[in-house]
Amino acid sequence: MISVEKFSLFLYEQLLRPLSLYDAGFFPSFSTNINNFMYSQHCEDFYGSTVGRCIWWHEEPINYHDLNQIRYFDAFHTHVIDPGHPTENYIWPSSPSHPSINMMISDVNFHVFANSEISRQKRTYLSEWGVYDWYFFFHGFAALDWYRNYKYLDSSYKIPTKLFICLNHLLTNNRSYRLYLLSQLKQTGLEGLGHISAPLLDPTLIDTELLNRNSRLSVDAKKHIYKNLLKQAVPTVLDEVNYNGASADLSPYGYDALWHVVTETMFYDESLHLTEKIFKPIVSKRPFILVGAPGNLAYLKSYGFRTFDQWIDESYDNETDPTRRTEMIVSELDKLSKRDISKQHKEMQEVLDYNYNHFYGKFKEIIVDELLWNFKKQVNWYNHDRIERHRLPIDRVNFEQVRRLMLS
């Protein structure tokens, strides 16, 4: 299987270059700094015969503030964003809304946005921009790459002794919900029953978030954090981890715990987006409680995985109020604390084995077919009702060959 490091290059060579599309994206991988956005990433003939572009935004959730800057970039200064000239007339190939420049050279003007989330906001934004939506489950590919060696290792002898594990790195802004989760765990007395990591936790950080007028925490959540967490807050470290490479690691503490309380990247926004975090318990053959945006548990199940509604009430996945959703999750964990860990573990072996085998089996085929189908669908939508010379030459792409390569 293609590695994460060469993922976009592979897709450029197999899908974009045959259609004379150039591409733009962040370098190095997983960068979130807008200054690291490269306006010509793999294309050697940027000013040549390209007839459209692909914008790679598949590694991280969409940041619309940054995306707005890229939307209006001046491609004749390929490494500089110039907010003083917010006109799409300068984009090469021309922008979706101003095709006149490109039409002098080609009758095709196709723009596609490669991404890994599903949301109404994204659909509306791309529709207004005139850019096609190429969605695929990138972090599924990343997890298959990063965790590929674990299928050769035997973890059956590792018996859980703790009720849960909960890993937390960033704790402010869009991740501030983790502060309320930690506060709830402390207040309910669950803190001592699990492995908890929060290396950045300290009173100054909490103060800053509580005083932030733009904080996404509710008033009730802030009061709870102030009362139960602030004064006793200290960094909690399980492993000495390099967080630039942490996504590829499975902590030994994860095997010592039964339930994985997975604190996902997206929580407040109504967006379907999961990262490699959710696959750590699956690879470890452990059950999970997903602390994410509403609907993401159902989203995971749509890829063929099973969840744990035999043991917990998973209606938290339908709760749209962030504060209430957190409380519902902690309530379920509290109920689990009254039950024997070993008995729970034995009861769910069939589900744990199924998820593990599905991850290393059918899952890859599902996400490969989805990626290729969605790309083909966007090109076909573009070509629909256009005469031959205005169409992208989709027959230049050998989709069966690409599929075989991605599944190999």
Side-chain angles (χ1 to χ4, degrees):
M1 178 180 169
I2 191 68
S3 69
V4 167
E5 290 76 18
K6 301 298 182 184
F7 187 80
S8 61
L9 175 59
F10 171 82
L11 294 178
Y12 167 75
E13 291 181 345
Q14 297 295 324
L15 300 179
L16 304 181
R17 189 167 63 180
L19 301 182
S20 298
L21 302 174
Y22 82 90
D23 62 343
F26 288 95
F27 183 84
S29 293
F30 295 97
S31 172
T32 56
N33 187 333
I34 192 64
N35 294 319
N36 292 333
F37 192 85
M38 307 291 290
Y39 293 110
S40 180
Q41 192 165 24
H42 299 120
C43 182
E44 297 176 357
D45 189 22
F46 179 69
Y47 294 106
S49 58
T50 55
V51 297
R53 76 192 190 282
C54 172
I55 297 174
W56 299 111
W57 207 293
H58 56 295
E59 296 175 341
E60 298 292 338
I62 300 171
N63 178 330
Y64 290 95
H65 176 268
D66 289 348
L67 187 56
N68 279 334
Q69 296 186 62
I70 292 165
R71 181 174 176 175
Y72 299 116
F73 75 86
D74 177 353
F76 291 109
H77 300 85
T78 59
H79 299 290
V80 178
I81 296 172
D82 185 2
H85 296 82
T87 168
E88 292 184 323
N89 284 304
Y90 294 102
I91 294 177
W92 182 282
S94 60
S95 75
S97 55
H98 297 84
S100 56
I101 295 176
N102 198 55
M103 285 301 183
M104 297 175 186
I105 300 163
S106 170
D107 293 318
V108 179
N109 188 46
F110 176 74
H111 303 258
V112 66
F113 185 71
N115 67 95
S116 59
E117 69 179 82
I118 299 172
S119 70
R120 182 180 302 174
Q121 183 180 8
K122 181 196 71 173
R123 289 195 300 271
T124 301
Y125 184 96
L126 295 182
S127 177
E128 292 173 351
W129 191 5
V131 172
Y132 288 81
D133 180 7
W134 180 20
Y135 161 82
F136 50 85
F137 196 167
F138 170 72
H139 288 89
F141 291 103
L144 285 167
D145 178 26
W146 288 332
Y147 307 145
R148 64 188 181 278
N149 293 326
Y150 287 93
K151 68 179 177 180
Y152 304 110
L153 304 178
D154 179 20
S155 62
S156 60
Y157 65 94
K158 299 178 180 179
I159 307 301
T161 64
K162 289 283 191 176
L163 176 64
F164 71 94
I165 183 170
C166 182
L167 305 178
N168 306 274
H169 182 212
L170 301 179
L171 297 168
T172 57
N173 301 316
N174 288 331
R175 316 295 201 280
S176 61
Y177 75 89
R178 293 171 179 169
L179 291 175
Y180 187 47
L181 176 64
L182 293 172
S183 184
Q184 282 281 334
L185 292 174
K186 182 176 286 291
Q187 186 266 327
T188 54
L190 291 168
E191 185 181 47
L193 302 180
H195 294 303
I196 297 176
S197 175
L200 302 180
L201 185 65
D202 67 52
T204 301
L205 177 143
I206 295 175
D207 260 335
T208 301
E209 182 64 35
L210 296 183
L211 295 173
N212 179 5
R213 292 183 178 181
N214 297 317
S215 174
R216 305 192 73 172
L217 289 165
S218 69
V219 173
D220 287 342
K222 286 185 175 184
K223 288 179 179 178
H224 195 282
I225 293 166
Y226 180 83
K227 179 180 179 181
N228 297 284
L229 185 64
L230 176 62
K231 295 179 181 178
Q232 304 175 57
V234 293
T236 308
V237 180
L238 293 178
D239 300 293
E240 292 295 334
V241 173
N242 171 13
Y243 279 94
N244 291 323
S247 296
D249 296 330
L250 293 185
S251 168
Y253 292 95
Y255 290 105
D256 187 51
L258 180 59
W259 290 87
H260 284 224
V261 181
V262 181
T263 54
E264 265 292 353
T265 299
M266 300 290 284
F267 183 78
Y268 292 109
D269 300 301
E270 294 192 24
S271 174
L272 300 180
H273 178 276
L274 293 172
T275 67
E276 78 293 333
K277 300 179 187 70
I278 190 57
F279 297 107
K280 290 186 177 184
I282 290 172
V283 172
S284 304
K285 291 191 177 182
R286 294 293 187 263
F288 52 82
I289 298 175
L290 179 59
V291 191
N296 273 276
L297 199 61
Y299 170 63
L300 180 67
K301 291 167 74 172
S302 73
Y303 284 93
F305 291 98
R306 293 169 63 180
T307 58
F308 300 91
D309 54 1
Q310 291 177 251
W311 295 272
I312 60 173
D313 180 359
E314 294 182 337
S315 63
Y316 68 83
D317 189 50
N318 302 319
E319 178 56 58
T320 58
D321 179 79
T323 301
R324 177 60 185 148
R325 190 160 67 256
T326 304
E327 293 165 355
M328 291 172 72
I329 287 169
V330 173
S331 175
E332 291 308 305
L333 200 57
D334 186 49
K335 293 175 187 175
L336 291 169
S337 71
K338 311 296 194 297
R339 301 185 59 200
D340 181 72
I341 294 174
S342 178
K343 184 178 179 181
Q344 291 182 58
H345 189 214
K346 290 177 182 178
E347 288 175 350
M348 57 183 60
Q349 276 303 314
E350 191 268 331
V351 177
L352 300 177
D353 288 340
Y354 169 84
N355 281 341
Y356 179 90
N357 292 329
H358 182 67
F359 176 76
Y360 286 116
K362 188 72 173 177
F363 177 56
K364 183 197 290 188
E365 185 177 338
I366 292 171
I367 60 176
V368 166
D369 287 343
E370 177 184 57
L371 179 149
L372 295 176
W373 170 256
N374 284 345
F375 180 79
K376 185 187 294 187
K377 181 171 66 174
Q378 300 308 314
V379 174
N380 286 337
W381 277 352
Y382 177 84
N383 286 342
H384 182 64
D385 286 342
R386 283 182 165 86
I387 62 175
E388 186 67 29
R389 68 187 181 91
H390 291 171
R391 295 176 183 173
L392 283 163
I394 190 68
D395 57 317
R396 292 182 186 175
V397 178
N398 187 335
F399 284 97
E400 283 302 315
Q401 175 180 292
V402 179
R403 184 178 188 271
R404 286 196 299 270
L405 289 171
M406 295 188 77
L407 291 175
S408 63

